[in-house]
Amino acid sequence: MSALPPANPAASSSSSSAIDADDVRTRRILSSKLYFEVPLSKVPLIYSPSYDIAFLGIEKLHPFDSSKWGRICQFLISEGALVKGRIVEPLEASKEDLVVVHSESYLNSLKSSARVAMIIEVPPVALLPNCLVDQKVLRPFRKQVGGTILAAKLAKERGWAINVGGGFHHCSADQGGGFCTYADISLCIHFAFARLNISRVMIIDLDAHQGNGHETDFAHDRRVYILDMFNPQIYPFDYEARRYINQKVEVMSGTSSTAYLKKLDEALEVAARAFDPELVVYNAGTDILEGDPLGRLKITPDGITSRDEKVFRFARERSIPIVMVTSGGYMKSSARVIADSIVNLSKKCLIDMETP
């Protein structure tokens, strides 16, 4: 009888380290306070006034409308579609929550105002004391991270949830960029794996830009299926991350609503045959709007409404819980367009904004 080959200590150690890391991650998720019970008197629409960024006019130095989130809710309330007291306010993600995905070294790098300035693309931020940057810029983002994470729990319970913020799809575990400092989508999915008995998630990323952050984070994870429909002629040009997209749909600059929606219909049909998710995370960027300086597509407001309706119908017809995050959108008109789309989803009975 031949002797067994000697064990490979390096491989054994590597495997053990991976298991230990997974255990630590799970313990952190289970001890997090970001999941909490939400009374039925609240609708699964998540927002906090803390989302909005306003500090010495610095927010005006980036094309992103950093008051967009609050304005969406104002429109919904003014139209009678939403009662202010029924909005769910999330908790702020703590460092212990963030290290579920992010490395310590990346989080430490955010203690440099210059580093944050590069990520959010507002150079004057580099000149500010980091305590101010943390309070006025990073804290609003951490609050939105808490919202995206909580949205998965609410979606599992109610069938749908909308975080009026979030969708920071350019940020991965070790790198931020493109106005994205924390990987809320990746965090949301890891929390869902650990807390919601979910093992298959589909990301439908319809922001104009490629979602290179979550693509990098789930590069070799077969539990996550990524449908990314983006303009390849604009930022981030991350060709490495493109290799990890399960279903890549490229839409070139100047694409019209009709052509876009036709491609989306085809893409959703393919996705339905390819993967059977237990949760959909929908990154609903409005930078595909005609006139958006960064997206360079020509989608009308009605086109956005149709797009969102198609994605929610895709989930509803298959009884799949869906989380929506609002992501990019670089025109003042985006807030109104998003609010109108949410109203349409309610009118089409794809979401229920009424409470018992």
Side-chain angles (χ1 to χ4, degrees):
M1 186 175 179
S2 60
L4 290 171
N8 183 336
S12 176
S13 174
S14 175
S15 175
S16 175
S17 296
I19 292 170
D20 289 345
D22 285 343
D23 285 346
V24 170
R25 169 184 278 167
T26 300
R27 285 199 300 273
R28 282 180 171 139
I29 292 172
L30 294 178
S31 64
S32 173
K33 294 181 173 63
L34 294 181
Y35 273 16
F36 56 86
E37 292 306 311
V38 175
L40 290 175
S41 59
K42 304 274 190 179
V43 296
L45 188 139
I46 303 167
Y47 167 74
S48 167
S50 301
Y51 281 16
D52 300 296
I53 298 172
F55 180 59
L56 298 178
I58 280 176
E59 69 280 359
K60 297 175 183 175
L61 299 178
H62 190 281
F64 189 88
D65 177 10
S66 59
S67 64
K68 173 179 81 171
W69 308 294
R71 290 173 58 241
I72 293 167
C73 290
Q74 287 168 13
F75 286 134
L76 290 171
I77 292 166
S78 66
E79 291 179 12
L82 178 67
V83 176
K84 185 177 181 180
R86 292 177 176 172
I87 296 171
V88 178
E89 180 161 356
L91 298 174
E92 177 185 343
S94 68
K95 182 183 176 183
E96 281 297 297
D97 297 318
L98 296 171
V99 293
V100 164
V101 164
H102 289 295
S103 63
E104 292 267 1
S105 60
Y106 173 70
L107 294 178
N108 285 334
S109 77
L110 299 180
K111 294 175 183 177
S112 160
S113 295
R115 179 70 186 135
V116 175
M118 287 177 61
I119 292 171
I120 67 170
E121 301 168 341
V122 182
V125 166
L127 304 176
L128 298 175
N130 190 252
C131 59
L132 273 181
V133 173
D134 185 77
Q135 181 185 357
K136 299 295 185 179
V137 179
L138 297 179
R139 183 174 179 269
F141 287 143
R142 290 194 296 270
K143 195 82 165 181
Q144 293 186 46
V145 169
T148 302
I149 290 170
L150 177 62
K153 178 181 185 291
L154 283 174
K156 179 76 182 292
E157 294 169 354
R158 314 273 188 98
W160 66 277
I162 296 173
N163 182 16
V164 173
F168 306 131
H169 66 157
H170 296 308
C171 188
S172 63
D174 295 307
Q175 186 170 340
F179 205 70
C180 301
T181 56
Y182 301 114
D184 66 318
I185 292 174
S186 301
L187 283 157
C188 169
I189 291 171
H190 279 293
F191 270 69
F193 285 154
R195 298 276 292 260
L196 301 179
N197 195 30
I198 282 173
S199 59
R200 298 185 307 279
V201 177
M202 179 182 289
I203 299 172
I204 300 178
D205 194 334
L206 301 186
D207 187 274
H209 301 82
Q210 175 199 350
N212 58 320
H214 56 71
E215 288 156 8
T216 299
D217 286 341
F218 294 111
H220 305 292
D221 195 329
R222 294 185 178 182
R223 299 172 297 174
V224 179
Y225 182 96
I226 299 173
L227 161 56
D228 195 349
M229 190 164 163
F230 64 96
N231 183 348
Q233 299 170 309
I234 59 174
Y235 176 91
F237 304 106
D238 192 334
Y239 300 102
E240 173 69 20
R242 287 183 196 179
R243 296 171 49 204
Y244 309 127
I245 302 172
N246 302 92
Q247 192 179 338
K248 179 176 64 175
V249 182
E250 296 184 345
V251 282
M252 301 300 174
S253 297
T255 296
S256 68
S257 292
T258 302
Y260 182 94
L261 294 172
K262 183 174 184 291
K263 278 200 167 193
L264 177 58
D265 282 335
E266 294 166 352
L268 291 174
E269 286 180 16
V270 171
R273 293 193 298 269
F275 196 71
D276 180 25
E278 296 169 301
L279 176 70
V280 167
V281 177
Y282 173 34
N283 197 53
T286 47
D287 49 4
I288 65 171
L289 270 170
E290 183 170 10
D292 190 285
L294 302 186
R296 299 184 194 170
L297 301 176
K298 292 191 173 181
I299 314 306
T300 63
D302 285 346
I304 295 270
T305 297
S306 295
R307 176 199 70 169
D308 294 349
E309 184 179 328
K310 287 176 186 293
V311 176
F312 270 77
R313 199 171 296 283
F314 169 88
R316 182 67 176 264
E317 288 176 349
R318 293 164 179 80
S319 300
I320 307 166
I322 181 170
V323 167
M324 171 177 154
V325 289
T326 57
S327 201
Y330 303 92
M331 296 194 300
K332 287 287 184 184
S333 59
S334 278
R336 166 61 74 179
V337 171
I338 294 166
D340 287 348
S341 181
I342 291 172
V343 169
N344 178 68
L345 292 173
S346 181
K347 286 179 178 176
K348 296 293 175 66
C349 298
L350 293 169
I351 62 175
D352 183 5
M353 299 281 278
E354 300 295 325
T355 57

